[in-house]
Amino acid sequence: MRTKKAILNIIIALLYELFLIVMGIIIPKLIIRTYGSDVNGLTSTINNVLSILNLIQAGAVGASIFQMFKPVAERDYEAQGKILGASILYFRKVGLIFLILVAITAPILALSMASGDISFSEKVVAFLLLGLNGSLSFFFISHYDILFSSNQNRFILSFGGICDKIIYYSLLLAIIFFKLSYLLMYAATILGTFFKILLLYIIYRKTYANFIKFNYDKSFKIPNKGYLMLNQIARQSIDGSPTIILSVIGGLGIASVYSVYSLVFNMIKTLSSTIQTSISEVFGNVVVSDSKNRIKTIYDRMNYVFFAISLFLCCCMAFLFKSFIYVYTDGNSLDINYLYDLPTILFAIYGVIFINYHPIYTLTNVLGFYKDTYFQSVITAVVSIAISIGLSFINWSLVIVGLIFYFAVSYFYRTYIVFRKTKSDYLYLSKSIIRFIVSLFATVFSWSMSYVFLSTFIESWLMWLLVAVFTALCSLLFIFIYSIIFEKNNFLSIFLYMKSMIRRKKNENISDRR
């Protein structure tokens, strides 16, 4: 049952993220063509600032989901209602604080961003509209996230997200087509979010309302929220800092260039994060109900899956990155230069570290090691941001080095914490390190090969897609050969399990027909 829910969560979430990836490729280019790079840079900068303001609630959702694992496993609906009620009260307070921060930050950010084409008032209005949309998550969505995620029904959130984005992107395309004011793009986000809220409320009323009642007990406190909050603050500060740094130091044009490069990386980031989020809820239930040996086996297989994902995605990205940017920008013919060498390899290395970080991040969270990791996370984030700021004065691409530093240090430190506190109860240490090194080496090798085999630029999307398919097949072949030689047990166990799942599904379909 747990595995079926995990697969359903992953499938629906991947469909949602695939939709976002497709629109994420199409929309920025349309915005640049219609309104210019400054508007695209403005949107990217505001979204990153809002992600940092969101840090006031950092950790609350994750801590609440973690606390829900046990009552969900025991079907203790009263305890679930108490946790959800406390979360609603907390998010109402945080939502009000968020709106105040948005109102204060909007004029300050508008003054600090370098752009001669966008007026001060337009920057403020854009920030306020996107900030209002962000506040809706605090007031109306966060508790549904906790409820559906902890009950391993994250697919409901993904479905709500799909409906939200269909409405938003439909309105957005109409605004771009008729060349209406770009400020209407930000207003469209609010309409999509309202529909999502309504949909989640209806599903809650039909599925959970009869046996899970929200208990607004003001005395109830969610444990570990503070430690997880500091972890989340550090991570989200790192994610949002590059665009803000570049918009201030280099202007909105450079911020737009960075957003196009990060667009490619965000595809990989989104896919890996979706799988990690869908698996983590199931893994959390395994930890509270199964033996250490079984947990260790399942974690090793999860680690292997992310290793294979990093090999496939990062090798493909490293080989195809620069040619994608060239085709995407119509042969680098947009209003500013978008073609650079250095960010392609730096983002590829960042991708390897980011994906391999997911399993150990999940393990430390479900084991509740928030107190053991928060200090390192905060200190490393401060150092990383300082590195990004300092190096960005030398070359804007070097802002990525700060991101690499943060996730590399966090990966090794969390691995050390798990090994120190549990010895070998949950972790095959040497195997994890070897996988990380192999992923990194293969990615750098793929990047270097792109300069050997793609010495001239690919001129069309059709040619790029053909090269991409060939690259993907080569990457899969390498993963298969490596797995058969070095990871045979994990490879065969996952293959046989998937085969049995398919056979079982066929048998169920045959039984239904009868």
Side-chain angles (χ1 to χ4, degrees):
M1 186 64 180
R2 286 187 304 216
T3 305
K4 285 184 178 180
K5 282 193 172 184
I7 292 174
L8 179 61
N9 287 336
I10 291 173
I11 290 173
I12 303 300
L14 286 177
L15 289 174
Y16 173 50
E17 299 301 344
L18 180 62
F19 176 69
L20 291 183
I21 287 171
V22 172
M23 299 309 295
I25 293 173
I26 296 171
I27 295 300
K29 186 175 178 180
L30 292 177
I31 291 174
I32 293 170
R33 284 290 189 191
T34 307
Y35 301 109
S37 290
D38 277 7
V39 171
N40 185 54
L42 174 68
T43 305
S44 180
T45 301
I46 292 174
N47 283 328
N48 280 283
V49 171
L50 289 175
S51 72
I52 291 177
L53 294 183
N54 264 299
L55 297 176
I56 60 172
Q57 61 86 32
V61 172
S64 298
I65 291 173
F66 180 75
Q67 291 301 315
M68 288 278 282
F69 284 147
K70 187 174 181 181
V72 166
E74 297 174 351
R75 297 190 178 182
D76 186 347
Y77 301 125
E78 183 178 350
Q80 292 181 53
K82 187 176 290 188
I83 294 170
L84 290 167
S87 299
I88 290 172
L89 292 175
Y90 173 78
F91 283 116
R92 284 175 183 172
K93 295 177 184 177
V94 171
L96 290 173
I97 296 171
F98 178 80
L99 285 174
I100 293 171
L101 289 175
V102 166
I104 294 172
T105 307
I108 297 173
L109 182 70
L111 286 171
S112 65
M113 288 188 293
S115 173
D117 298 328
I118 303 175
S119 69
F120 171 82
S121 60
E122 288 175 323
K123 294 174 187 175
V124 171
V125 171
F127 194 94
L128 292 176
L129 287 172
L130 287 174
L132 176 60
N133 181 65
S135 71
L136 296 177
S137 176
F138 293 103
F139 293 117
F140 304 110
I141 296 177
S142 294
H143 59 284
Y144 291 130
D145 189 345
I146 296 166
L147 173 63
F148 296 135
S149 296
S150 60
N151 281 273
Q152 300 174 44
N153 290 322
R154 181 168 283 274
F155 70 90
I156 295 173
L157 296 167
S158 299
F159 179 70
I162 291 172
C163 296
D164 167 9
K165 295 306 179 184
I166 287 175
I167 292 172
Y168 165 61
Y169 282 122
S170 298
L171 293 171
L172 184 57
L173 288 171
I175 292 166
I176 293 173
F177 179 78
F178 291 107
K179 296 184 178 179
L180 304 176
S181 170
Y182 70 87
L183 293 175
L184 292 175
M185 298 190 305
Y186 309 127
T189 62
I190 299 174
L191 295 177
T193 302
F194 268 127
F195 185 84
K196 179 180 179 180
I197 292 168
L198 178 62
L199 181 63
L200 294 179
Y201 173 76
I202 292 171
I203 293 174
Y204 162 73
R205 296 295 302 175
K206 288 183 175 293
T207 55
Y208 289 101
N210 291 333
F211 50 92
I212 298 181
K213 306 292 183 182
F214 300 148
N215 183 354
Y216 301 102
D217 182 359
K218 294 183 180 180
S219 63
F220 180 79
K221 304 296 181 184
I222 298 171
N224 291 317
K225 183 170 64 180
Y227 296 122
L228 185 54
M229 177 186 72
L230 291 171
N231 272 296
Q232 290 292 93
I233 286 175
R235 177 167 172 175
Q236 287 179 237
S237 296
I238 287 297
D239 286 340
S241 62
T243 305
I244 300 169
I245 292 169
L246 293 176
S247 67
V248 173
I249 295 175
L252 292 177
I254 290 297
S256 178
V257 175
Y258 177 84
S259 72
V260 170
Y261 277 84
S262 62
L263 170 70
V264 180
F265 172 76
N266 284 340
M267 298 179 200
I268 290 176
K269 181 179 178 180
T270 299
L271 289 172
S272 62
S273 296
T274 298
I275 296 172
Q276 181 266 334
T277 303
S278 300
I279 290 175
S280 64
E281 286 123 21
V282 179
F283 189 62
N285 279 275
V286 169
V287 169
V288 299
S289 58
D290 285 346
S291 66
K292 288 183 178 180
N293 285 336
R294 176 164 170 75
I295 294 169
K296 186 174 183 178
T297 300
I298 292 174
Y299 175 76
D300 185 52
R301 289 176 184 171
M302 179 174 72
N303 192 290
Y304 165 74
V305 167
F306 277 95
F307 160 70
I309 290 171
S310 70
L311 270 180
F312 177 72
L313 294 178
C314 294
C315 286
C316 289
M317 178 175 72
F319 190 80
L320 298 165
F321 207 150
K322 190 173 181 180
S323 59
F324 173 86
I325 298 295
Y326 184 80
V327 177
Y328 183 76
T329 57
D330 297 332
N332 198 29
S333 63
L334 300 181
D335 53 347
I336 57 176
N337 177 40
Y338 278 83
L339 209 58
Y340 297 89
D341 290 315
L342 188 56
T344 58
I345 182 58
L346 291 177
F347 265 119
I349 293 172
Y350 177 29
V352 171
I353 297 170
F354 181 84
I355 296 174
N356 281 279
Y357 170 77
H358 276 316
I360 197 66
Y361 173 78
T362 301
L363 183 61
T364 50
N365 280 356
V366 299
L367 290 176
F369 293 163
Y370 307 116
K371 188 176 180 179
D372 302 279
T373 56
Y374 82 94
F375 186 73
Q376 170 272 323
S377 189
V378 171
I379 295 300
T380 307
V382 172
V383 175
S384 299
I385 291 173
I387 291 172
S388 292
I389 293 172
L391 293 179
S392 64
F393 283 101
I394 300 172
N395 186 312
W396 72 263
S397 306
L398 295 176
V399 75
I400 307 165
V401 174
L403 305 176
I404 293 172
F405 177 81
Y406 174 81
F407 283 100
V409 172
S410 297
Y411 169 82
F412 287 108
Y413 184 80
R414 285 176 180 261
T415 301
Y416 161 75
I417 287 294
V418 172
F419 188 74
R420 180 173 64 83
K421 292 181 72 69
T422 67
K423 301 306 178 185
S424 58
D425 287 345
Y426 300 108
L427 185 66
Y428 295 102
L429 181 60
S430 59
K431 193 183 291 187
S432 298
I433 300 298
I434 290 171
R435 287 168 180 162
F436 177 82
I437 294 172
V438 170
S439 298
L440 193 60
F441 175 81
T443 299
V444 173
F445 179 78
S446 296
W447 179 80
S448 63
M449 288 298 99
S450 69
Y451 285 86
V452 175
F453 295 102
L454 298 178
S455 56
T456 57
F457 284 112
I458 296 171
E459 298 290 342
S460 68
W461 278 113
L462 178 60
M463 181 59 69
W464 186 88
L465 287 172
L466 290 174
V467 174
V469 170
F470 179 76
T471 305
L473 291 174
C474 290
S475 299
L476 289 173
L477 180 62
F478 173 74
I479 293 168
F480 175 76
I481 293 172
Y482 179 89
S483 297
I484 291 298
I485 297 173
F486 299 105
E487 298 274 3
K488 189 173 182 179
N489 289 337
N490 277 324
F491 177 79
L492 290 178
S493 63
I494 292 172
F495 174 77
L496 292 174
Y497 182 78
M498 295 303 296
K499 186 177 179 181
S500 67
M501 286 289 295
I502 295 171
R503 186 184 296 115
R504 193 181 310 156
K505 187 66 177 177
K506 286 182 179 179
N507 292 336
E508 288 176 359
N509 291 336
I510 292 172
S511 299
D512 292 339
R513 290 171 188 168
R514 291 177 180 173

